Amino acid sequence: VLGTEKSITYSRNCACEVCNGQKGTGNRVCSTCNGSGSVLYRQSFVTMQTTCPTCKGVGREVTNKCAACNGQGINVKTNTVTVRIPAGVFKGNRLRVSGCGEAGPDTSSHQNTHGDLYVELNVVNDPNFARSGNDIHSNVTLSVTQAMLGCAKSIETIHGVRTIKIPQGTQPDSQLKLYGLGVVNQAKKSPKGN
């Protein structure tokens, strides 16, 4: 709820370092589509045109496939990235990290660019605090004397220890507010909850 940075390690498709995403060396006109990049399929009276499965619409195919990537132009690599998680996020929120996703399917024509990584957040519950929107709730145990006569009590908040004045005659399950010590409102970036 206060924001942090986390390192994430994951696997992604990257351009092959041996062939630089070129899938191999040498090329020729595609033998499947004769260089058109598309093929025709007939079913009964209907003729359909689709992208050539051999050259993926380029019209040319590699003659000597790269052994490191088996002519695919990509390899699976492990990547680690540090993600800044803003304050006030909820479970299920998604963050986008530009350029840290998968390599494009045709790495040779996309200059080895990567897509975006989307991180779905899982906010773990804290045993001392409960969240309700942008407000944080915690329980304080009082003796009978403290509840009857009132007192000053130090309590733990998500922003550190604060002192709260317990009024005389406080009843069980009463709620007291410490204003502005909750979670930052993501929509408005302020003010904080209680």
Side-chain angles (χ1 to χ4, degrees), residues 34-57:
N34 293 321
S36 70
S38 61
V39 291
L40 297 174
Y41 289 103
R42 289 182 189 247
Q43 291 181 339
S44 305
F45 300 105
V46 179
T47 302
M48 294 183 289
Q49 182 176 1
T50 62
T51 302
C52 175
T54 304
C55 68
K56 309 288 191 267

Side-chain angles (χ1 to χ4, degrees), residues 47-171:
T47 302
M48 294 183 289
Q49 182 176 1
T50 62
T51 302
C52 175
T54 304
C55 68
K56 309 288 191 267
V58 177
R60 302 193 71 74
E61 60 183 327
V62 175
T63 54
N64 301 316
K65 290 185 179 181
C66 173
C69 64
N70 197 27
Q72 297 299 309
I74 56 173
N75 284 327
V76 176
K77 300 273 183 169
T78 301
N79 192 39
T80 300
V81 64
T82 301
V83 179
R84 188 184 140 313
I85 300 170
V89 296
F90 287 94
K91 181 178 182 176
N93 284 155
R94 287 178 20 154
L95 299 177
R96 181 176 64 114
V97 185
S98 297
C100 290
E102 303 272 2
D106 186 5
T107 54
S108 60
S109 65
H110 289 88
Q111 301 299 316
N112 299 335
T113 58
H114 287 270
D116 298 334
L117 171 68
Y118 287 89
V119 180
E120 185 170 322
L121 302 176
N122 182 25
V123 180
V124 179
N125 292 331
D126 188 285
N128 300 316
F129 303 107
R131 183 174 180 177
S132 175
N134 292 325
D135 296 332
I136 299 292
H137 297 267
S138 67
N139 291 319
V140 176
T141 303
L142 301 173
S143 68
V144 173
T145 306
Q146 289 173 325
M148 286 176 32
L149 301 177
C151 65
K153 186 92 170 165
S154 292
I155 63 165
E156 187 69 35
T157 73
I158 62 171
H159 300 285
V161 177
R162 298 291 195 267
T163 302
I164 187 170
K165 186 175 189 284
I166 309 292
Q168 290 179 339
T170 298
Q171 298 298 310

